[in-house]
Amino acid sequence: MKGCSILADAGRRRFLTGAGLATAGAAVATVLPAEAKTPPSAALVRYPATRLANVKDLKVNDPMDVAYPDADAPGVLLKLGTRVPGGAGPDGDIVGFTTVCPHKGFPLSYKTADKTLNCPGHYSRFDCEKGGQQIWGQATQNLPQYVLRVDAKGDIHAEGVDELIYGRLSNVL
């Protein structure tokens, strides 16, 4: 009989523990605001629309230097030649990125062979065809990418950035 009472105690403990956890979870879910219940979205920060160039100004795999969201934020526009996630324009192949490494602020250079932006400081590499995803090195975040819009005249406008720009405490101008 001793074996049965031990199993009953273990079963009762497990039931009470599970019931307590379920009750606590339900209580937290009703107390948290709606924003906390939904998964976080990208850290997109909107800025006033700024014209950076025209589609006609870009050549495939030839970077164009720009500054966005202000003159102290160097960046680049690229026409990659193939449709990419986050790409703008009629072919969905135009992207823009900051050219300051998010790790220590070194200036990045574009490598045409593999369409990456590369840091000479600690060798971080960012894939321009995959939204600036870090593929190598010391950086701990992806490269900030511009939110681009192309109007009917072919003008390319930047309207925001999806990551924190290096050297800024926030993405507020």
Side-chain angles (χ1 to χ4, degrees), residues 31-42:
V31 172
L32 287 176
E35 309 87 64
K37 294 178 191 174
T38 58
S41 60

Side-chain angles (χ1 to χ4, degrees), residues 11-170:
R12 196 173 322 136
R13 272 188 239 115
R14 283 189 183 170
F15 172 78
L16 292 173
T17 300
L21 290 173
T23 303
V28 167
T30 59
V31 172
L32 287 176
E35 309 87 64
K37 294 178 191 174
T38 58
S41 60
L44 178 66
V45 177
R46 295 264 179 210
Y47 292 112
T50 302
R51 183 189 178 281
L52 299 177
N54 188 286
V55 172
K56 295 176 197 169
D57 301 332
L58 299 176
K59 294 180 182 95
V60 175
N61 214 17
D62 185 20
M64 173 184 273
D65 291 335
V66 295
Y68 183 75
D70 56 42
D72 296 325
V76 67
L77 277 180
L78 295 162
K79 181 170 179 61
L80 298 172
T82 56
R83 184 172 296 277
V84 294
D91 300 323
D93 66 343
I94 299 171
V95 292
F97 298 97
T98 181
T99 54
V100 177
C101 183
H103 177 234
K104 293 285 184 179
F106 284 91
L108 302 175
S109 61
Y110 184 69
K111 184 175 176 187
T112 58
D114 61 2
K115 299 180 182 177
T116 59
L117 282 162
N118 300 280
C119 179
H122 298 103
Y123 310 109
S124 290
R125 300 178 67 219
F126 304 92
D127 190 337
C128 296
E129 294 180 304
K130 293 185 179 166
Q133 179 180 20
Q134 180 194 350
I135 54 176
W136 185 261
Q138 302 294 319
T140 57
Q141 77 178 52
N142 294 330
L143 194 59
Q145 183 174 3
Y146 303 155
V147 175
L148 300 176
R149 175 182 55 84
V150 178
D151 67 18
K153 296 185 289 183
D155 288 335
I156 303 165
H157 301 270
E159 299 180 331
V161 177
D162 72 349
E163 296 274 353
L164 183 64
I165 297 170
Y166 178 81
R168 298 175 185 221
L169 298 177
S170 71

